[in-house]
Amino acid sequence: MENRITPLWVTKDKTAALIDRAPWARVDDMPWREIAGGKEMVIRGGYRYLQVWKCVPSSPRHCPRTEGAGHCEQIHAEWFLPALCHPEKNPVHIEDLVLSSATGESVPVYVPNRGRGRAGRHMWVPAADCRIWRELTAQTASLPEAPPPEEDDVTTFAEQEIYRTCRAGEEGRHACDARPVRDLGQPTGGFTLDRLPTKRADRPMVITPVERAAAAAALGCPPWEVGPCSQCSQLMRRYGRDAAMTCDLCRIALNQGP
């Protein structure tokens, strides 16, 4: 990264030390005969899609702020594995990632951790989702200049004796590797907005494709139904069936009157 070269590390191990130290992807442990035979390798971790939704009772997702205890009526944005998206996305193959990363259709993103634990997470994402994420979060750089050092980032050779008491195959669950699992597969990002972005005064009637796509995802409507509120210019469901001229907050203020 210091030489402006984007790495793509591939592993088959959930405990691999390279996970979240650089852009990475995890695949299944496949026999060499299947690989030589041309069997596609599905990415199990390291590639995600952005999901933006409004936290209301009709949403298929629970509220990350209340941990499912209620709905906050705000806008949430998080990164999910393809199988956990709504609707579910098709799996991505390592061959496709190699090609799309070269053409720019897939880009690496570094998301700082907003809670405890590691400093942040590296992932590969569609370029369109990256543009929406930057618009929502005002994040300008996709990768940090230098990842911060962490306690478990030192890789050494301990010169230990061969482990001769492996219990693999026995009844029950046995762990022979004490290294922590790094590829947890949980949603990450956890960005919340009180409301959708308000249009800037210098171009009040212009909506960029990125803004339209993000608003449509949050409102659950087609992109062509998105438009600015006639009062505050916030993006809302302005057109189509059962649409309105003003957003909910402005409508309440207008109904209350002076």
Side-chain angles (χ1 to χ4, degrees):
M1 287 189 292
E2 292 177 353
N3 292 279
R4 297 184 179 181
I5 299 175
T6 302
L8 169 54
W9 292 94
V10 181
T11 180
K12 58 183 176 64
D13 186 0
K14 288 185 176 182
T15 66
L18 59 88
I19 293 178
D20 287 330
R21 300 171 76 179
W24 60 282
R26 183 177 64 83
V27 297
D28 293 329
D29 185 6
M30 294 173 54
W32 70 268
R33 295 183 183 276
E34 293 184 2
I35 298 176
K39 185 176 180 179
E40 294 182 322
M41 304 182 73
V42 177
I43 296 178
R44 303 300 184 184
Y47 197 99
R48 293 175 180 258
Y49 289 90
L50 180 65
Q51 298 273 273
V52 183
W53 74 98
K54 187 169 184 179
C55 190
V56 294
S58 60
S59 173
R61 298 195 180 281
H62 72 273
C63 178
R65 284 195 165 183
T66 63
E67 298 183 352
H71 298 85
C72 65
E73 302 290 333
Q74 295 180 309
I75 309 297
H76 299 301
E78 286 189 310
W79 295 98
F80 289 85
L81 296 175
L84 300 180
C85 292
H86 285 288
E88 182 178 343
K89 303 285 187 179
N90 293 327
V92 181
H93 300 93
I94 191 66
E95 296 87 350
D96 298 331
L97 176 57
V98 171
L99 177 61
S100 61
S101 63
T103 60
E105 298 177 41
S106 295
V107 296
V109 168
Y110 177 79
V111 178
N113 192 353
R114 301 180 184 277
R116 298 180 179 179
R118 298 181 64 81
R121 297 197 177 278
H122 287 270
M123 65 188 79
W124 287 92
V125 305
D129 288 5
C130 179
R131 288 192 292 270
I132 295 176
W133 176 257
R134 291 184 181 182
E135 188 75 24
L136 294 175
T137 63
Q139 180 179 343
T140 57
S142 58
L143 289 177
E145 294 183 359
E150 300 181 12
E151 294 181 358
D152 57 352
D153 273 352
V154 179
T155 303
T156 60
F157 178 57
E159 298 185 4
Q160 296 178 349
E161 293 292 331
I162 297 177
Y163 189 71
R164 303 180 184 277
T165 58
C166 180
R167 303 178 65 183
E170 297 183 13
E171 293 293 334
R173 182 178 178 180
H174 307 288
C176 298
D177 195 339
R179 295 178 299 173
V181 175
R182 293 173 177 263
D183 181 11
L184 301 176
Q186 299 174 340
T188 189
F191 189 79
T192 299
L193 300 90
D194 293 333
R195 45 193 321 208
L196 289 172
T198 300
K199 298 304 299 172
R200 293 185 287 271
D202 58 344
R203 51 180 184 86
M205 298 305 295
V206 177
I207 305 176
T208 67
V210 171
E211 292 171 332
R212 187 178 296 278
L219 297 171
C221 68
W224 54 85
E225 293 185 359
V226 173
C229 170
S230 61
Q231 296 293 318
C232 68
S233 296
Q234 176 189 250
L235 296 183
M236 55 171 286
R237 189 175 180 182
R238 177 71 182 272
Y239 310 106
R241 187 175 182 179
D242 299 328
M245 296 288 292
T246 59
C247 66
D248 293 341
L249 294 179
C250 291
R251 187 159 53 251
I252 293 174
L254 291 172
N255 290 335
Q256 289 177 349

